[in-house]
Amino acid sequence: MTTMVKVAKLAGVSISTVSHVLNGTRNVNDETRQKVLKAIEETSYRQDALARAMRRSRTDSIGLIVSDGGEPAFAEMIRGVEETAASQGVTLLLANSAEDPQREARAVQALLERRVDGLILARVAGSGLDAISEFANHETPLVLMDRLSEDPYDQVGVENREPIRELVQHLTAQGHERILLIAGDTRVATLRERHEAFTEAMAAAGIPAAKQLAVAAHDSKETDAGIRKALGAAKPPTAVIACSTVLAAAALRQIQQRGLRMPDDIAFAVFDGFAYADLFEPQLTTVRQPAFDVGSTAAELLAKRIADKSREPAIVRLAPVIEYRASTGPAPA
Amino acid sequence: MTTMVKVAKLAGVSISTVSHVLNGTRNVNDETRQKVLKAIEETSYRQDALARAMRRSRTDSIGLIVSDGGEPAFAEMIRGVEETAASQGVTLLLANSAEDPQREARAVQALLERRVDGLILARVAGSGLDAISEFANHETPLVLMDRLSEDPYDQVGVENREPIRELVQHLTAQGHERILLIAGDTRVATLRERHEAFTEAMAAAGIPAAKQLAVAAHDSKETDAGIRKALGAAKPPTAVIACSTVLAAAALRQIQQRGLRMPDDIAFAVFDGFAYADLFEPQLTTVRQPAFDVGSTAAELLAKRIADKSREPAIVRLAPVIEYRASTGPAPA
DNA sequence: CTGAAAGCGCTTACAG
DNA sequence: CTGAAAGCGCTTACAG
């Protein structure tokens, strides 16, 4: 492998000079610079980012740990982070915890050992401060993404409450009272917020908590059972709000099995939705998350934090867009 | 930051010994080891992977460049690579070229500078050997993923021809003759193979190339126009095979607009398909790619290549599974 | 069983 | 405008 020594010899200068023309860190006589550039060309020299990072104690790399790489929304966030990082000349180290606290802890460890300049973390559901506690005594910048918390870190996620409120209003305005919320695993912060907003919005519409319908469960089996029970009740729901894509798929399967027509037999809306929601029959009312922007905002916040570690933690909530479609009847004015 | 020097001092040993207990590279007196372990604990020492990598000239990291991080299939491949890499104790550096040769070249450069132990590359469409030529004089192991080529590297992709043949047989057996192939950008190796297989299979079914219907185009606008023209023809196709998810979406939109019913007015099949194909009405016949396995196989091949640079390049083709559903009529026996 | 020392490939004061 | 040299935090022969 070519190193600076070889380049310097060929150009007849010191390695200091090679380094400085490479990095533009001091004035170099134009003739000298040309010689160096030529030598670099001839030897097809490539800088060693590792050695450079070690000397500068800065790697120009960031880590990203997602809790569920299989979810389309996370795939989008990854793209957002990658694109912004690339535009900053920063390399992205990616890990997927797959909702496993152990894998999350190992990933944090591995990325910290690699001396990333900062870390973006979408935490696994239900894990306490475990992974984060690594950062308590640690100076590595951290940004929480999507899975937010009360901790004093920079955070980016979407606004979960307002869209649910709007959805509930949209449905109650059409006379729906028995609205079923498929809430999923409410240990996940995003899902918990959606559930809470539902409870409040329904109460505000005059439907007390005791009369509200919701399926909150830790796994898909429980969820399926909950949906089955709800749909098969003597007084089944006339509308469904699913709090995630997976939950929506589970509900739609049972709705199809029962031969229920949307929106006449049952209205249907989904938070986060399907990649091609417009191809469904009927088209599905969807709360579309700006997932790409969540990712790129996370990368931006991290860059700012790296540049200035003493700034106030920022908490950013991006607004989803509700796309009203046929599955919930006529769109609001 | 705690370094080995601090640990060594605290434990009253040399840094050699600390290094050896850390890596298990030589026998250490049990008492001594305990002292070192205790010192590591107390100082919450964490190894510096950069310094280690520099000394060993091995980073235990690999790079992955995908050509389109937005495609669900690529998201799955990323997951496959990540999971296998993690299980090997290898960190993944991810870049997305977004079908832009410039970004691809920059990513190759950045990852090489970072001294990744190897690289997995899904090349952008239509780029020549540009990105790959970096490897000609370079000893960094390279595995080609999904977007294969004639070059002498390890490669993993799916079998593209056989599923298309089967699909064509399935359709012609039902009497279809005017089958429209939405081929997309045939500069992409996968799409080119599907197109070629279609041409051959149709000819084998007695339909000469001159009478075959296909839309091959470089961008979505051209594709949309091609589909519009084909569907609006005097003798429109009675069946459609879409060669990718995006292409299928484009076709389905126009099919819905025209109010065509599947499979009666028009049969429909898709290569690579939608995340929740079973929720479509009717359910769509889909060639499901083992995308996750493509990713994990790529990571495995790369590990083997890193371990033994002189082995013969392997070319692996994973078989997709055809899921026959209502959109192409009754499934074959 | 253990330690002193060289060296991986850079950056960056320091000196001229 | 340029160079000699220290040092980033490790691993690994070499020596005892």
Side-chain angles (χ1 to χ4, degrees), chain B residues 15-290:
Chain B
I15 62 165
S16 305
T17 299
V18 176
S19 173
H20 283 117
V21 342
L22 233 32
N23 300 307
T25 33
R26 82 178 172 197
N27 278 342
V28 174
N29 177 296
D30 205 55
E31 207 175 324
T32 313
R33 182 205 312 285
Q34 295 307 331
K35 278 193 297 190
V36 172
L37 259 19
K38 187 153 159 276
I40 286 172
E41 180 74 20
E42 283 174 12
T43 55
S44 53
Y45 167 77
R46 202 191 323 263
Q47 214 169 12
D48 185 325
L50 258 51
R52 185 160 199 268
M54 178 144 100
R55 224 13 270 260
R56 302 176 65 217
S57 51
R58 167 159 189 156
T59 56
D60 291 322
S61 68
I62 61 171
L64 169 62
I65 305 176
V66 296
S67 48
D68 188 354
E71 273 277 311
F74 277 115
E76 274 302 292
M77 291 181 219
I78 293 173
R79 279 188 55 224
V81 171
E82 195 280 336
E83 184 150 316
T84 300
S87 77
Q88 298 167 161
V90 164
T91 300
L92 176 65
L93 314 207
L94 176 72
N96 180 189
S97 62
E99 300 290 8
D100 175 349
Q102 302 239 5
R103 283 179 65 173
E104 180 178 74
R106 276 200 299 270
V108 168
Q109 193 70 19
L111 295 176
L112 251 24
E113 283 183 358
R114 250 142 188 125
R115 298 286 183 261
V116 288
D117 295 339
L119 198 60
I120 298 172
L121 178 61
R123 294 161 68 198
V124 306
S127 95
L129 283 177
D130 321 341
I132 283 192
S133 68
E134 288 293 324
F135 291 83
N137 311 318
H138 209 275
E139 67 287 2
T140 303
L142 173 66
V143 171
L144 264 26
M145 184 178 78
D146 190 67
R147 308 285 183 88
L148 309 189
S149 78
E150 304 298 315
D151 306 289
Y153 296 102
D154 293 295
Q155 316 204 13
V156 211
V158 299
E159 172 51 53
N160 290 303
R161 296 188 148 85
E162 184 56 26
I164 292 288
R165 270 196 289 272
E166 282 190 37
L167 241 28
V168 167
Q169 279 168 19
H170 175 51
L171 291 168
T172 52
Q174 294 178 58
H176 291 286
E177 292 187 347
R178 294 200 305 282
I179 305 174
L180 172 67
L181 186 81
I182 321 236
D185 187 344
T186 48
R187 291 174 306 182
V188 176
T190 44
L191 297 177
R192 186 170 52 246
E193 288 180 2
R194 291 168 201 169
H195 190 180
E196 288 168 3
F198 175 77
T199 308
E200 289 162 21
M202 289 292 279
I207 301 156
K211 299 192 68 177
Q212 294 174 16
L213 308 173
V215 175
H218 287 4
D219 61 48
S220 64
K221 206 173 260 181
E222 279 184 50
T223 301
D224 284 342
I227 297 171
R228 190 166 306 115
K229 193 173 158 204
L231 293 185
K235 290 192 166 190
T238 62
V240 171
I241 300 175
C243 285
S244 80
T245 309
V246 205
L247 296 169
L252 285 174
R253 287 200 186 98
Q254 295 199 32
I255 287 174
Q256 289 186 352
Q257 275 171 24
R258 287 174 187 270
L260 299 172
R261 312 298 311 181
M262 300 181 286
D264 297 339
D265 299 333
I266 197 156
F268 193 89
V270 48
F271 204 117
D272 181 22
F274 298 91
Y276 296 92
D278 61 323
L279 295 177
F280 281 66
E281 182 51 35
Q283 295 188 350
L284 301 179
T285 290
T286 297
V287 179
R288 191 160 301 283
Q289 300 191 61

Side-chain angles (χ1 to χ4, degrees), chain A residues 54 59-60 91 114 253 278, chain B residues 54 59 91 114 253 278:
Chain A
M54 178 145 98
T59 57
D60 291 321
T91 300
R114 255 152 182 117
R253 286 198 187 100
D278 61 324
Chain B
M54 178 144 100
T59 56
T91 300
R114 250 142 188 125
R253 287 200 186 98
D278 61 323

Side-chain angles (χ1 to χ4, degrees), chain A:
Chain A
M1 203 182 62
T2 311
T3 70
M4 276 178 41
V5 173
K6 195 156 150 195
V7 173
K9 267 191 192 128
L10 216 169
V13 299
S14 73
I15 61 165
S16 306
T17 298
V18 176
S19 173
H20 282 118
V21 342
L22 233 32
N23 300 307
T25 33
R26 82 176 172 198
N27 278 342
V28 174
N29 177 296
D30 205 55
E31 206 174 326
T32 315
R33 181 205 312 285
Q34 295 308 332
K35 278 193 299 191
V36 172
L37 258 19
K38 186 151 160 278
I40 288 173
E41 182 73 20
E42 282 175 12
T43 54
S44 51
Y45 167 76
R46 203 191 321 262
Q47 214 169 11
D48 185 326
L50 257 50
R52 184 159 200 266
M54 178 145 98
R55 226 10 273 259
R56 302 176 65 218
S57 50
R58 167 160 188 157
T59 57
D60 291 321
S61 68
I62 61 172
L64 169 62
I65 306 175
V66 295
S67 49
D68 188 354
E71 274 277 312
F74 277 115
E76 275 300 292
M77 290 180 219
I78 293 172
R79 279 188 55 224
V81 171
E82 196 280 337
E83 183 150 317
T84 300
S87 76
Q88 299 167 161
V90 163
T91 300
L92 177 65
L93 313 205
L94 176 71
N96 180 190
S97 62
E99 301 289 8
D100 175 349
Q102 303 238 5
R103 283 180 64 175
E104 180 179 74
R106 277 200 299 271
V108 169
Q109 193 71 18
L111 295 177
L112 252 24
E113 283 183 358
R114 255 152 182 117
R115 299 287 183 261
V116 289
D117 295 338
L119 198 60
I120 298 172
L121 178 61
R123 295 161 68 195
V124 307
S127 94
L129 283 177
D130 321 342
I132 284 193
S133 68
E134 288 291 326
F135 290 83
N137 311 316
H138 209 274
E139 67 287 2
T140 303
L142 173 67
V143 170
L144 263 28
M145 184 178 78
D146 190 66
R147 308 286 183 87
L148 309 189
S149 78
E150 304 298 315
D151 306 290
Y153 295 102
D154 292 295
Q155 316 204 12
V156 211
V158 298
E159 172 53 50
N160 290 303
R161 296 188 148 85
E162 185 56 26
I164 292 289
R165 269 196 290 272
E166 282 189 37
L167 241 28
V168 168
Q169 278 167 19
H170 175 52
L171 292 168
T172 53
Q174 295 177 58
H176 290 287
E177 292 187 347
R178 293 199 307 282
I179 305 174
L180 172 67
L181 186 83
I182 321 229
D185 187 343
T186 48
R187 292 174 306 184
V188 176
T190 43
L191 297 177
R192 187 169 54 247
E193 288 180 1
R194 292 167 201 170
H195 191 180
E196 287 168 5
F198 174 78
T199 309
E200 289 161 21
M202 289 292 278
I207 301 155
K211 299 191 70 177
Q212 294 174 17
L213 307 173
V215 174
H218 287 3
D219 60 46
S220 64
K221 205 173 260 180
E222 279 182 51
T223 301
D224 283 342
I227 297 171
R228 191 166 306 116
K229 196 175 157 202
L231 293 184
K235 289 194 167 189
T238 61
V240 171
I241 299 175
C243 285
S244 81
T245 308
V246 205
L247 296 169
L252 286 173
R253 286 198 187 100
Q254 295 199 32
I255 286 174
Q256 289 186 350
Q257 275 170 24
R258 287 175 188 268
L260 300 172
R261 311 299 312 182
M262 300 182 283
D264 297 338
D265 298 334
I266 196 157
F268 193 89
V270 49
F271 204 117
D272 181 22
F274 298 90
Y276 296 92
D278 61 324
L279 295 177
F280 281 66
E281 181 53 35
Q283 295 189 349
L284 301 179
T285 290
T286 298
V287 179
R288 191 158 301 282
Q289 300 190 62
F292 184 93
D293 295 342
V294 169
S296 56
T297 304
E300 281 161 14
L301 281 186
L302 186 56
K304 284 185 192 164
R305 165 78 38 212
I306 289 167
D308 174 9
K309 304 206 177 176
S310 64
R311 68 197 286 274
E312 274 293 294
I315 298 188
V316 178
R317 292 277 189 164
L318 267 31
V321 173
I322 306 188
E323 297 171 347
Y324 289 100
R325 302 220 182 79
S327 70
T328 52

